[in-house]
Amino acid sequence: MVLFNNVTKTYANGTKALEDVSFRIDQGEFVFIIGASGAGKTTITKLITRQEAFDSGEVVVNKYRLKTLRNSQIPYLRRTVGVVFQDFRLIDNKTVYENVAFAMRIVNAPAKEIRARVPHVLSLVGLTHKAKAYPTQLSGGEQQRVAIARAIINSPSILIADEPTGNVDPNMSREIMDLFQAINDRGTTIIVVTHELSLVKRMNKRVIQLDGGKLLYDKVGGGLL
Ligand code: ADP
């Protein structure tokens, strides 16, 4: 669950990135956040993961009220939100398996659980046969899948992907959307930031559109597009 209530965010240099933004995303939804470059899309994701603070209003993510969240609670908040970064951020000297397993090790998951869960998730993203490969030996689409596997390995209730199809061809972006749909079908909330309108149209999901830091549109079906 993500709740934004009249949220305003100004960066230190005075840029107003979000102005009076309100929306609620319930558990299990699949939502696109769209808008021109600079509209405030990434800022929303940074507020959700508490990478950035906000000036006024209220942000609630799962059971966490971010305005009053203590720093010691931030790691727990972040465990409930998986993030797929546009540049993947894989560790080049670790195998695919190790990249994904590492995300479990850092939250102190028992070895037995890691051995059971990593193959399961690699299979879900279609990378079982690449478990021993290194990131540099993979295509862009495969690296993307590793990033997705890593983002969901600790079973977050929300998965955020910022421009996941920015660096892949149309066929690949369709496959990635299918994968998000499969993850969504298992109950995970999906939030995809994108500027690829053809994709948004085809998926026919809820669309939140921002313009200059303001919420312009919030509707299923993307009628404005
Ligand atoms: P989008 O993801 O839609 O392209 P962003 O959320 O990245 O937009 O940015 C919204 C606005 O905030 C833009 O005007 C951008 O230049 C500004 N901005 C983003 N990050 C920072 C930052 N760290 N410091 C100052 N301004 C920023």
Side-chain angles (χ1 to χ4, degrees):
M1 187 279 280
V2 177
L3 174 72
F4 273 52
N5 210 348
N6 304 112
V7 175
T8 296
K9 161 70 181 171
T10 313
Y11 283 104
N13 66 358
T15 305
K16 207 164 212 184
L18 295 178
E19 211 175 325
D20 209 19
V21 170
S22 300
F23 61 83
R24 180 193 168 97
I25 299 173
D26 284 318
Q27 186 58 39
E29 283 199 72
F30 191 137
V31 183
F32 286 103
I33 299 180
I34 66 167
S37 179
K41 306 183 295 296
T42 300
T43 300
I44 285 186
T45 68
K46 287 182 174 167
L47 260 52
I48 294 172
T49 55
R50 194 61 167 76
Q51 272 174 273
E52 289 284 347
F54 50 100
D55 322 333
S56 60
E58 175 153 58
V59 179
V60 182
V61 178
N62 297 322
K63 62 176 186 175
Y64 301 96
R65 281 193 65 195
L66 302 203
K67 193 157 39 182
T68 52
L69 191 74
R70 286 200 227 111
N71 287 343
S72 61
Q73 292 293 304
I74 294 176
Y76 298 101
L77 159 75
R78 290 186 180 154
R79 282 179 204 185
T80 71
V81 185
V83 181
V84 182
F85 299 99
Q86 200 180 350
D87 56 0
F88 310 144
R89 304 192 191 175
L90 302 177
I91 303 166
D92 280 341
N93 62 3
K94 288 188 192 292
T95 62
V96 166
Y97 182 98
E98 280 303 323
N99 264 278
V100 178
F102 185 64
M104 288 188 82
R105 293 194 213 289
I106 57 180
V107 299
N108 296 319
K112 196 174 157 197
E113 227 171 80
I114 296 174
R115 281 196 300 273
R117 172 104 180 129
V118 176
H120 170 69
V121 172
L122 286 180
S123 150
L124 178 70
V125 302
L127 279 180
T128 301
H129 60 301
K130 296 286 183 183
K132 290 183 176 146
Y134 288 87
T136 53
Q137 301 170 321
L138 303 176
S139 71
E142 287 166 343
Q143 290 181 34
Q144 171 80 284
R145 285 165 183 274
V146 181
I148 294 169
R150 185 186 52 189
I152 61 172
I153 193 72
N154 291 319
S155 306
S157 57
I158 303 168
L159 177 65
I160 296 178
D162 195 347
E163 298 284 4
T165 57
N167 300 312
V168 298
D169 64 46
N171 272 342
M172 196 68 75
S173 66
R174 210 159 296 145
E175 283 179 23
I176 288 166
M177 286 304 132
D178 290 346
L179 181 53
F180 286 150
Q181 183 65 64
I183 295 166
N184 181 240
D185 289 342
R186 292 159 174 249
T188 307
T189 305
I190 308 282
I191 301 175
V192 178
V193 171
T194 186
H195 59 259
E196 231 181 293
L197 296 188
S198 59
L199 197 95
V200 175
K201 260 186 192 164
R202 193 174 56 79
M203 295 293 288
N204 202 35
K205 302 289 188 187
R206 177 176 172 193
V207 175
I208 293 177
Q209 184 171 15
L210 295 168
D211 183 38
K214 292 192 176 133
L215 196 142
L216 187 65
Y217 178 87
D218 180 356
K219 215 169 180 179
V220 174
L224 255 197
L225 305 171

